[in-house]
């Protein structure tokens, strides 16, 4: 029998045919290859979160191979001399072994931790982008809510992970968590007893946090992230207004090859930044914290940054306790339970609140420049200011210590700042937005300032404006409609001057050429001039 | 497939036409997907231009850097001495080297790919129609009616007995599924006769009526002269496991005050409103629970001149010479005082448990 | 000790430690000026009151006599004659011992600018020899705790377990104010516990023994001299020399606060610039 020669092209075609016979993949695949995505730097912020989540999953799986979530007491006999012979929980011992006995284990641990910080940081930055550009409006309200839930889940994933090594610092955090549970009215002691399996700290909590941290929360996170992306895919990405762009189309580049390559490259860049930080910056040196002991504590005890706002609110809360006969409501309840709850539910409701206020039931696929909705920017800045002050107050003892400020003064500054700075931020950002709006309208109505000053016959000086559109019979520009996008405000944007030099490290405009000294004037020319006069 | 022609504008072309280029076929696909390519042009003047070659060189360089970084990572991963040793030595650089090489490798690869996409691929501007219109009223009606019909088919409305039976049948099953999930976790915090919530390791009753000694973390008892004036010592109940986390509410701070401060503290304790702290000091010694009444951190930053105890978690401050009343921060309740005495052998004992409840506040705290 | 070794290899974030050679040079210069001033002032003083010190000096050792001269010039205005103390200006030094002097003067906390809870660490006014002389004088007039002779740091080759024991004691007794990494921490109303990263073994020992300012006293009955040595071993060998496992930068050892700052200032910043570049028009 004659052996048939293998033809790669035919084999591939055959394979593809077989796939399509079974899954009817050709048409949807073409749709995927051709899908158009708009391009803007701010659309990439959410990707940072997605990519750091992937790094978290990969590094986290590695860590589970070595971590042992037991609270049984053991004596440490590893290579870290500073703890040798110390009694500690099995969880802490395995976290130490992971750091010191596993080749590259410390690097993976630090990568996991930095990726977690980056995950939460990029979620916040991404959320701010979505909020200030109005990307949460109909039809994307549900995706906004999912985003807020993702932050909340990240918060709990982070807290449970931070607690797992059972070291001195995280144990302090766990103690505060138990106090927050206790502060709930009526059910507080029951809730704490249920979660800790009896009296704090018990011997179960690390195991319970472990399963929450490696299975329950990441499972939900993964599911919700998939839904989040699926909805973005289905609804197609929002875009900025601009030439050719309408509410009914998407202007950008096809998914393959350019957009997908950008995504792939950006993933590598995000992973690279995480790896660099994990290698160069020490994070959470648990070996210095020692095993958790209820009597031991360190000054500057803080949670990771995304929990710090809550800790800050707790620090700033005055000592107001409410008594109901024999029962009482501790002050911890307000910032930690009510505050946390409000900080998550209010943003969730915001899309509907805004739509209701503006009586806006339309569908929006075009983004709004922040200046075009001053009220939203004001509210956002107010919330952001509140969050930032709370976060700073979460580290107010470090600031007090390192900048030699009184700790008590820091607390008071935080208390007062929390009340007066958000309204100021609201007022200022609304005014700034209105001012920017007005300037846009002014340029559209009168044209771009040219910098040329003209003196009128009556002695008055006026600046000459370059109209952006046609002019009427008197030479006055006909006012233009605002299109929701950048209005050119400099002559070089109109091509009247040399284009601005692009780049971070160059001046915005090219320096003027140094005047070259004129060539020696020949005597003939001179004569010519004199003869003319 | 004829269905592929939905919404496509423009004239369809015959994709089997041999005269068509590959790009023409791609464009036909785009047309069917309702995408219009507005611009699609190379970023370079002519193929193999100087500028293009330079970009290609740079991108190749980035890929090579990436490869070298990755190779270096593997080599250092294998050969570098990584086992922890005390002091400054080469093993300390293991993590920075891993991070540096891997980070550079990944970042260079990322930038290389990005530069490829950004600089080499043609400039493209495509427009795709969204088709974000909701379903037609007719479609909505049909789906709605179909769902209603499903309910009709089940006929629950017509069969009230079934309705009741479902309620009776499903609700208990839901409970049965939920009960072990929730019930297994529930513990009655008040179930012990002397709930540990209200008692610590210094509880005399739990120690067979014998006063509990104050001990160090290694269990050794403490004599008054062990703590210097202006000194403080963390003490634990002298019972088995008294210094472990099993008695997380028991750690106590034993403070030896200067005599004038001690006099002030004693006067304050003896004139205590509810009388709980009366006579709890021994000589110039006073002992307060170390567990902050706010959130349970050890409030143990003792300032010996100002006689304040500071909690490092939320900055509550307690005045030692005034029954450890909170003077600043979010704490509302004073630190409980441990009644002190010295036994026959000259060691510190607690004459009874704390008379205030130790630890963070909760709803039903007495 | 280690803090003066110029060959420290690590980058330090927020380092407050000036370069060692220049400090030494400045210190010598200050000492020379100080000595000249002292000689002049002391000479003038003794010339006019020749019999003032005659009887006291007979009981004092030579070092203490020199210390007394320094004391009478620099310390007497607040701590009074013979260290008896002055009402509302300075406490009596009877019984504080040489350890206290070596700490307070050796770290520049004394002379103090004004009476307050937090004595700021400044450039020391006296060199080591002068400090020892004053300490000797204060010891001889009132007695009190002394820094023992001999090494205050355990040799880890002979006694490796002392490091872990020191760590244990450090976490029970010291971290609440000085923090796990020894970076220091804030106390109430502007007071603070200083960083231990530049502290010498003698200073740590003296501080524990005497409880300077708001620091509690850890007497020898509470923490034995051996245990003190273990704590010092942990601080110097673990926290000072070996603080950076897992990174070149330890972000000051302030914990999550600086880590959170780093993720925004470094991580987010780099990636935002990257995305600006990705989406920028080429």
């Amino acid at each position: 029998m004659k052996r048939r020669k293998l033809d790669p092209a035919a084999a591939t075609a055959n394979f593809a045919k077989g796939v399509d016979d079974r899954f009817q993949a050709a048409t949807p695949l073409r749709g995927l290859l051709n899908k158009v995505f708009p391009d803007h730097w701010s659309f990439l912020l959410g990707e940072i979160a997605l990519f750091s989540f992937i790094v978290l999953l990969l590094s986290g799986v590695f860590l589970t191979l070595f971590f042992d979530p037991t609270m049984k007491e053991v004596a440490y006999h590893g290579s870290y001399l500073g703890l040798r012979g110390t009694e500690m929980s099995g969880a802490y011992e395995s976290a130490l072994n992971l750091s010191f006995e596993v080749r590259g284990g410390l690097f993976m641990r630090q990568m996991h931790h930095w990726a977690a910080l980056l995950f939460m940081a990029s979620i916040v930055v991404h959320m701010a982008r979505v909020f200030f550009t109005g990307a949460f409006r109909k039809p994307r309200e549900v995706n906004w809510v999912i985003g807020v839930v993702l932050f909340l889940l990240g918060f709990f994933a982070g807290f449970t992970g931070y607690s797992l090594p059972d070291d001195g610092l995280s144990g302090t955090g766990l103690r505060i968590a138990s106090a927050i549970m206790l502060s709930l009215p009526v059910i507080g002691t029951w809730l704490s007893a249920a979660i800790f399996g009896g009296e704090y700290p018990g011997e179960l909590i690390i195991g319970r946090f472990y399963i929450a941290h490696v299975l329950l929360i990441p499972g939900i996170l993964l599911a919700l992230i998939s839904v989040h992306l699926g909805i973005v895919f289905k609804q197609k990405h929002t875009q900025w207004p601009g030439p050719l762009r309408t509410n009914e189309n998407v202007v950008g580049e096809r998914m393959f090859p350019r957009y997908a390559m950008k995504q792939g490259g950006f993933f590598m860049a995000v992973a690279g930044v995480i790896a660099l930080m994990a290698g160069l910056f020490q994070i959470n040196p648990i070996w210095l914290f020692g095993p958790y002991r209820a009597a031991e504590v360190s000054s500057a005890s803080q949670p990771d940054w995304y929990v710090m706002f809550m800790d800050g609110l707790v620090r700033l809360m005055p000592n107001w306790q409410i008594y109901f006969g024999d029962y009482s409501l501790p002050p911890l309840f307000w910032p930690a339970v009510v505050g946390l709850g409000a900080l998550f539910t209010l943003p969730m409701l915001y899309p509907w609140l805004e739509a209701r206020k503006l009586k806006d039931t339309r569908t929006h696929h075009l983004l709004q420049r922040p200046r075009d909705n001053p009220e939203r920017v004001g509210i956002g800045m107010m919330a952001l200011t509140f969050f930032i002050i709370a976060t700073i107050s979460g580290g107010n003892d470090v600031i007090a210590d390192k900048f030699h400020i009184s700790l008590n003064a820091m607390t008071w500054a935080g208390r007062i700042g929390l009340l007066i700075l958000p309204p100021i931020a609201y007022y200022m950002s609304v005014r700034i937005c209105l001012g920017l709006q007005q300037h846009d309208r002014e340029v559209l109505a009168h044209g771009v300032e040219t910098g040329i000053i003209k003196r009128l016959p009556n002695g008055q000086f006026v600046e000459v404006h370059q109209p952006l559109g046609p002019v009427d019979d008197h030479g006055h520009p006909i006012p233009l409609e605002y299109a929701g996008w950048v209005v050119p405000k400099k002559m070089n944007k109109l091509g009247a001057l040399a284009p601005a030099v692009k780049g971070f490290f160059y001046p915005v405009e090219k320096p003027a050429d140094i005047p070259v000294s004129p060539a020696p004037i020949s005597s003939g020319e001179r004569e010519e001039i004199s003869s003319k006069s | 497939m004829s269905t592929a022609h939905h919404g496509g504008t423009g004239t369809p072309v015959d994709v089997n036409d041999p005269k068509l280029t590959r790009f023409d076929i791609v464009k036909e696909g785009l047309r069917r997907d309702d995408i219009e390519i507005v611009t699609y042009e190379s970023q370079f003047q002519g193929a193999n231009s100087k500028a293009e070659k330079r970009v290609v060189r740079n991108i190749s360089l980035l890929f090579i850097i990436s490869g070298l970084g990755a190779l270096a990572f593997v080599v250092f991963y294998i050969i570098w001495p990584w086992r922890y040793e005390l002091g400054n030595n080469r093993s300390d650089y293991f993590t920075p080297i891993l991070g540096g090489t891997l980070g550079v490798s990944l970042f260079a690869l990322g930038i290389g790919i990005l530069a490829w996409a950004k600089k080499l691929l043609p400039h493209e501007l495509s427009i795709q129609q969204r088709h974000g219109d909701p379903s037609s009223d007719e479609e909505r009606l049909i789906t709605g009616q179909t769902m209603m019909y499903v309910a009709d088919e089940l006929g629950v409305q017509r069969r009230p007995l079934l309705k009741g039976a479902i309620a009776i049948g499903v609700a208990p099953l839901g409970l049965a599924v939920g009960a072990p999930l929730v019930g297994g976790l529930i513990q009655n915090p008040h179930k012990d006769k002397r709930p540990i919530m209200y008692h610590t390791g210094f509880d005399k009753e739990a120690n067979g009526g014998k006063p509990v000694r104050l001990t160090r973390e290694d269990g050794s008892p403490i004599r008054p002269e062990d703590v210097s004036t202006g000194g403080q010592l963390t003490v634990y109940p002298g019972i088995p496991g008294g210094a472990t986390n099993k008695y997380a509410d028991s750690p106590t701070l034993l403070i030896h005050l200067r005599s004038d401060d001690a006099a002030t503290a004693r006067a304050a304790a003896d004139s205590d409103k509810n009388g709980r702290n009366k006579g709890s000091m021994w000589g110039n010694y006073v002992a307060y629970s170390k567990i902050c009444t706010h959130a349970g951190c050890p409030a143990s930053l003792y300032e010996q001149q100002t006689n304040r105890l500071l909690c490092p978690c939320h900055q509550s401050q307690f005045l030692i010479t005034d029954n450890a009343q909170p003077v600043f921060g979010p704490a509302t309740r004073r630190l409980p005082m441990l009644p002190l005495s010295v036994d026959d052998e000259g060691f510190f004992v607690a004459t009874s448990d704390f008379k205030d409840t130790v630890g963070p506040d909760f709803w039903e705290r007495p | 000790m280690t803090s003066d070794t110029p060959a420290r290899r690590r980058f330090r974030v927020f380092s407050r430690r000036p370069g060692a050679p220049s400090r030494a040079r400045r210190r010598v210069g200050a000492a020379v000026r100080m000595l000249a001033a002292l000689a002049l002032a002391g000479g003038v003083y003794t010339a006019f009151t020749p019999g003032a010190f005659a009887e006291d000096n007979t009981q004092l050792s030579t070092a203490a006599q020199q210390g007394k001269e320094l004391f009478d010039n620099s310390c007497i205005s607040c701590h009074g004659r013979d260290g008896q103390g002055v009402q509302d200006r300075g406490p009596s030094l009877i019984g504080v011992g040489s350890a206290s002097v070596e700490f307070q003067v050796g770290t520049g906390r004394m002379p103090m600018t004004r009476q307050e809870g937090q004595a700021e660490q400044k450039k020391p006014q006296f060199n080591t020899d002068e400090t020892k002389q004053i300490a000797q004088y204060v010891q001889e007039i009132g007695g009190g705790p002394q820094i023992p002779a001999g090494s205050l740091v355990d040799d880890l080759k002979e006694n490796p377990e002392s490091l872990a024991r020191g760590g244990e004691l450090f976490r029970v007794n010291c971290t609440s104010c000085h923090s796990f990494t020894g970076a220091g921490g804030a106390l109430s109303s502007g007071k603070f516990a200083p960083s231990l990263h530049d502290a010498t073994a003698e200073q740590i020992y003296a501080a524990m023994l005497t409880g300077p300012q708001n620091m509690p006293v850890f007497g020898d009955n509470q923490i034995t001299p051996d245990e003190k040595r273990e704590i010092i071993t942990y601080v110097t060998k673990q926290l000072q020399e070996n603080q950076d496992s897992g990174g070149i930068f330890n972000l000051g050892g302030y914990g999550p606060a600086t880590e959170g700052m780093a993720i925004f200032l470094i991580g987010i910043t780099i990636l935002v610039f990257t995305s600006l570049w990705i989406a920028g028009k080429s």
Side-chain angles (χ1 to χ4, degrees), chain C residues 14 28-30 66 68 72 86 89 111 159 166 197 224 241 243 256 280:
Chain C
F14 299 134
V28 171
Q66 287 162 328
K68 181 175 169 57
D72 288 346
V86 178
R89 293 185 76 176
N159 200 3
H197 290 159
T224 64
E241 282 180 35
Q243 47 188 341

Side-chain angles (χ1 to χ4, degrees), chain B residues 204-265:
Chain B
K204 204 156 63 166
E205 313 306 320
N207 197 33
K210 244 175 63 196
V212 181
R213 273 186 180 162
L214 277 54
T215 59
R216 292 189 180 80
E217 65 273 15
D218 60 4
S220 57
I222 296 147
R223 292 180 188 280
E225 60 268 26
D226 288 353
V227 185
S228 321
T229 314
Q232 49 100 45
L233 178 64
T234 302
V235 295
Y236 305 85
I239 52 174
T244 63
N245 287 346
K246 193 170 170 229
Y247 294 94
D249 279 347
S250 299
T252 300
L253 209 56
L254 176 66
I255 301 166
H256 186 177
L257 294 168
R258 267 182 237 90
S259 50
D260 47 339
D261 293 334
T264 321

Side-chain angles (χ1 to χ4, degrees), chain A residues 441-483:
Chain A
R441 301 302 189 281
E442 215 172 86
V443 174
L444 289 169
H446 302 298
V448 180
E449 295 172 349
T450 56
I452 300 167
I453 309 287
K454 194 163 82 178
R455 188 177 180 195
L456 298 184
N458 61 6
Q460 191 190 351
F461 288 97
V462 291
E463 182 173 8
V464 178
H465 283 74
Q466 168 66 46
L468 288 173
V471 290
D472 62 13
D473 300 341
H474 302 287
H476 295 306
I478 301 165
L480 296 167
E481 207 44 44
Y482 177 64

Side-chain angles (χ1 to χ4, degrees), chain A residues 148-230:
Chain A
V148 177
V149 174
L150 285 175
F151 182 87
L152 188 63
L153 284 170
F155 178 95
F156 285 116
F159 182 75
T160 48
Y162 166 88
S163 301
L164 285 186
D166 201 20
D167 57 275
L169 185 62
S170 72
T172 307
L174 207 54
R175 176 99 215 195
I176 298 171
S178 99
I180 291 172
M181 291 172 208
L182 285 175
S183 79
L184 280 162
V186 187
I187 58 160
T189 46
W190 289 81
L191 180 70
S192 171
I195 288 181
F196 287 92
E199 184 69 10
Y200 172 87
E203 289 200 326
L204 298 170
I205 190 66
I206 297 294
R208 288 181 177 177
F209 270 23
Y210 181 67
I211 204 67
H213 181 75
V214 304
L215 179 70
L216 298 179
I217 300 175
I220 304 172
L221 266 176
L222 194 58
L224 281 183
I225 287 175
S226 312
V227 175
H228 197 68
L229 293 176

Side-chain angles (χ1 to χ4, degrees), chain B residues 84 88 92-93 230 232 305, chain C residues 9-10 214 217 222 241-242:
Chain B
Y84 175 82
N88 292 334
D92 280 9
Y93 291 101
Q232 49 100 45
Q305 285 182 346
Chain C
R9 73 196 156 96
R10 307 293 180 147
N214 267 306
V217 181
Q222 182 181 342
E241 282 180 35
N242 188 61

Side-chain angles (χ1 to χ4, degrees), chain B residues 38 94 112 121 178 214 234 273 293 311 319 328:
Chain B
V38 182
F94 187 61
L121 294 184
L214 277 54
T234 302
K273 268 199 295 268
T293 54
C311 178
L319 192 59
F328 188 82

